């Protein structure tokens, strides 16, 4: 976890501290995370979850999980279940505090009746289009509805009949009676209830009028005794309405506080767009490892700790900003660096024959799982033999300057094994190198030379006869451009065609046959990898690349300089 001294500022933390000092809420801190169950959670939601649950933890309060399920046409139980699983996976617990806005339908109805009785709400028979058309603009006032002056009795009668199912969908709505000339458009007689004769995933056919978001949200917060109702900046203009409803109804009144949403480059964080990608088959599903959903990140191999670290690092402010994908990638590297054992795997194998190594001989060499701290975490044996695989990119027939890996006449260190010198190569008819020949120096066993010489290059390798052949999936950023939302072209045309590359036959060190589904490793010089929890079988892991390593090469060279 992040240490307090590097935790960035969070202005909401300051507000809460201040409220505790002035005893504004009687010492209580109650937040909530209120997702609409109409899709899977994404990395943007993680920011809100970490903020709300994190503050509750920090101040020994509570955070409610509340499903904002007021729109029966788009919501499904599948989404409810995935949201619960994702919040738990992130490491948070709502305890007893699981709520549904649909549990408040009766209360919301009763409060609407109270508003009608106060002359603060009326039934409007205009169509949705007519209501929209008479709302006015930022520079022009709206127009009063012809139904605005209905009597309380008439409003009560029609609203009751609306709820009893007497009228068609869209034929009438209940509106608050505020001010059609209000400078804030949200205050121009907003809709409270509309008719929708559809079954709801929790209340079934009980209701045929459903409450609108703004009206539902503040009353739900009030009923649950929330203290700090934290939402994204888009709702800043709605706050006036939040306050109006609670004041007019004289209800317990939480404080709404807005913060800047997460905008992350190279992905989209909109459930609607992510749903489009899933429905149209651009990705394999909500949990496709390319997706910025929590289920996608989990399937790819991200840890919950890495996502919490990311959320802590980006901080919480009131200014819209964009976060680079490198921040998320750095967080997962920083989290996995001390946790993931180092192993060797060759993704693009090129055969190497050690001509002076005895045919049929196999040596078991000791290789630490954590070279930076070998005694702590143990080691495994890696077999070495006459035929090896190295990474194709680690050999060049005519190397440019500063290429320190294998080349004709060049000596390199094979990690944990021996120094080898390239003595020849074999090409196919197309002129491609298909085999490299080397001579090894038996005096350099373990990767050190008694005469003190040290090749500049160290490369990873796998013994060919014992290697484990495995499928490895290389994942990269979902979109080819940083801000697919703000381009003129349709976001679907901006998907990164290279976001998934499947390597059917990578050559991995044999110890990986024992990798369990869900285990993470660092393949030296290649990145962090995750044994896919669904597609891996005992003895036959399938690996997802979580993230590449930056500076891996530089690090190994540095470690070697220090004598390892
Ligand atoms: P989307 O735009 O993806 O549909 P949403 O805001 O409609 O998201 P909700 O289910 O209403 O989705 O979101 C639940 C909570 O998550 C809300 O409090 C919302 O403010 C917060 N949230 C959603 N997206 C982000 C984001 N990108 N950054 C921070 N918080 C977010
Ligand atoms: Mg929303």
């Amino acid at each position: 976890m992040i240490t307090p001294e590097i935790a960035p500022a969070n202005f909401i933390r300051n507000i809460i501290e201040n409220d505790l000092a002035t005893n504004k809420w009687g010492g209580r801190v109650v937040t909530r995370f209120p997702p609409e169950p109409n899709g899977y959670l994404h990395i943007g939601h993680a920011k809100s979850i970490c903020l709300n649950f994190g503050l509750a933890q920090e101040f020994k309060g509570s955070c409610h999980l509340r499903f904002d399920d007021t729109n029966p046409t788009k919501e499904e139980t599948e989404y409810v279940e995935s949201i619960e699983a994702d919040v738990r996976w992130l490491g948070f617990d709502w305890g007893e505090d699981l709520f549904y806005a649909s549990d408040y339908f009766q209360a919301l109805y009763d409060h609407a009746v109270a508003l009608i009785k106060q002359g603060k709400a009326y039934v409007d028979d205009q169509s949705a289009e007519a209501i929209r058309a008479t709302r006015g603009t930022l520079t022009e006032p709206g127009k009063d509805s012809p139904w605005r002056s209905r009597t309380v009795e008439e409003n009560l009668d029609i609203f009751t009949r609306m709820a009893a199912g007497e009228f068609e969908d869209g034929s009438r709505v209940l509106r608050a009676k505020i001010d059609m000339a209000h400078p804030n458009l949200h205050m121009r007689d907003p809709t409270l209830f509309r008719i929708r004769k559809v079954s709801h995933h929790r209340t079934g056919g009980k209701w045929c009028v459903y409450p609108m978001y703004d009206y539902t949200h503040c009353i739900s917060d009030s009923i649950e005794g929330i203290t700090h109702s934290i939402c994204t900046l888009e709702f800043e203009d709605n706050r006036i309405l939040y306050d109006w409803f609670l004041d007019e109804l004289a209800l317990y009144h939480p404080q709404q506080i807005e913060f800047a949403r997460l905008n992350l480059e190279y992905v989209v964080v909109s459930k609607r767009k992510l749903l489009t990608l899933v429905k149209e088959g651009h990705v394999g599903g909500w949990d496709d490892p390319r997706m910025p959903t929590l289920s996608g990140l989990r399937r790819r191999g991200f840890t919950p700790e890495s996502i919490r670290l990311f959320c802590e690092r980006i901080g919480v402010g009131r200014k819209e900003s964009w976060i680079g994908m490198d921040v998320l990638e750095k967080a997962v590297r920083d989290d996995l660096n001390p946790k993931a054992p180092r192993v060797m795997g060759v993704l693009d194998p090129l055969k190497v024959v050690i001509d002076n190594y005895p045919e049929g001989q196999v040596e078991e060499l000791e290789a630490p799982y954590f070279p930076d701290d070998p005694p702590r975490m143990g080691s495994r044996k890696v077999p070495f033999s006459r035929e090896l695989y190295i990474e194709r990119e680690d050999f060049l027939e005519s190397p440019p300057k500063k290429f320190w890996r294998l080349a004709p006449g060049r000596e390199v260190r094979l990690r944990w094994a021996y120094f080898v010198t390239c003595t020849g190569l074999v090409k196919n008819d197309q002129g491609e190198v298909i085999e490299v020949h080397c001579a090894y120096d038996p005096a350099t066993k373990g990767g050190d030379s008694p005469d003190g010489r040290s090749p500049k290059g160290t490369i990873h390798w796998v013994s060919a006869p014992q290697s484990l052949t495995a499928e490895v999936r290389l994942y990269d950023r979902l979109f080819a451009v940083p801000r697919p939302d703000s381009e003129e072209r349709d976001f679907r045309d901006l998907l990164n065609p290279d976001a998934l590359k499947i390597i059917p036959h990578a050559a991995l060190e044999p110890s990986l046959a024992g990798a369990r589904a869900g285990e993470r490793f660092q393949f030296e010089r290649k990145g962090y990898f995750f044994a896919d929890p669904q597609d891996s079988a005992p003895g036959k892991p399938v690996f997802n690349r979580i993230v590449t390593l930056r500076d891996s090469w530089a690090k190994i060279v540095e470690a070697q300089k220090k004598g390892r």
Side-chain angles (χ1 to χ4, degrees), residues 1-8 13 309 312-313:
M1 274 303 278
I2 197 152
T3 51
E5 58 271 23
I6 56 165
R13 186 179 284 142
L309 182 62
E312 194 62 53
R313 283 181 179 171

Side-chain angles (χ1 to χ4, degrees), residues 106 173 190 201 303 327 365 397 449 453 471 480 491 516 555:
Q106 185 65 49
V173 294
H201 76 117
T303 54
V327 182
L365 301 172
E397 192 180 355
S449 156
R453 76 181 195 280
E471 180 176 318
F491 76 105
R516 288 182 311 257
K555 264 193 191 153

Side-chain angles (χ1 to χ4, degrees), residues 3 33 62 76 78-79 85 160 169 198 217 228 230 252 311 323 325 343 347 360 379 402 414 437 559 564:
T3 51
F33 173 64
S62 52
E76 288 172 32
E78 176 198 348
Y79 298 137
T160 312
D169 280 17
V198 287
H217 198 78
H228 301 84
I230 301 165
Y252 167 85
C311 290
I323 304 293
M325 187 51 98
V343 292
L347 303 184
S379 62
K402 298 208 169 159
L414 296 179
H437 285 257
R564 277 200 286 267

Side-chain angles (χ1 to χ4, degrees), residues 154-176:
E154 195 181 353
N155 280 318
L156 283 176
D157 174 56
I158 307 175
F159 186 50
T160 312
R161 286 159 55 201
M162 277 167 68
E166 235 180 78
F167 308 115
E168 290 313 302
D169 280 17
S171 60
R172 285 168 177 79
V173 294
L174 184 73
R175 296 177 77 179

Side-chain angles (χ1 to χ4, degrees), residues 34-36 38 45 68 213 232 234-235 271:
E36 185 181 347
N38 62 350
H45 294 112
D68 217 323
Y213 174 83
T232 43
E234 309 91 86
F235 292 98
K271 278 186 283 191

Side-chain angles (χ1 to χ4, degrees), residues 141-154:
K143 274 202 218 54
D144 283 3
S145 162
W147 308 100
R148 201 172 194 263
S149 47
R150 273 180 161 147
T151 62
V152 168
E153 289 67 36
E154 195 181 353

Side-chain angles (χ1 to χ4, degrees), residues 33-36 42 44-45 47-48 230-232 259 261-262 269-272:
F33 173 64
E36 185 181 347
H42 52 62
H45 294 112
K47 179 175 181 179
S48 176
I230 301 165
C231 61
T232 43
F259 71 101
R261 60 187 282 112
L262 168 66
V269 281
S270 143
K271 278 186 283 191
R272 190 175 52 78

Side-chain angles (χ1 to χ4, degrees), residues 23-69:
N23 205 30
K24 179 171 173 187
W25 305 102
R28 292 182 313 124
V29 175
V30 187
T31 57
R32 84 286 169 274
F33 173 64
E36 185 181 347
N38 62 350
Y40 281 58
L41 298 181
H42 52 62
I43 185 75
H45 294 112
K47 179 175 181 179
S48 176
I49 295 168
C50 290
L51 177 61
N52 281 292
F53 281 94
L55 288 170
Q57 263 174 7
E58 190 176 334
F59 293 102
K60 306 206 167 29
S62 52
C63 179
H64 298 184
L65 175 61
R66 181 197 313 141
F67 289 103
D68 217 323
D69 56 348

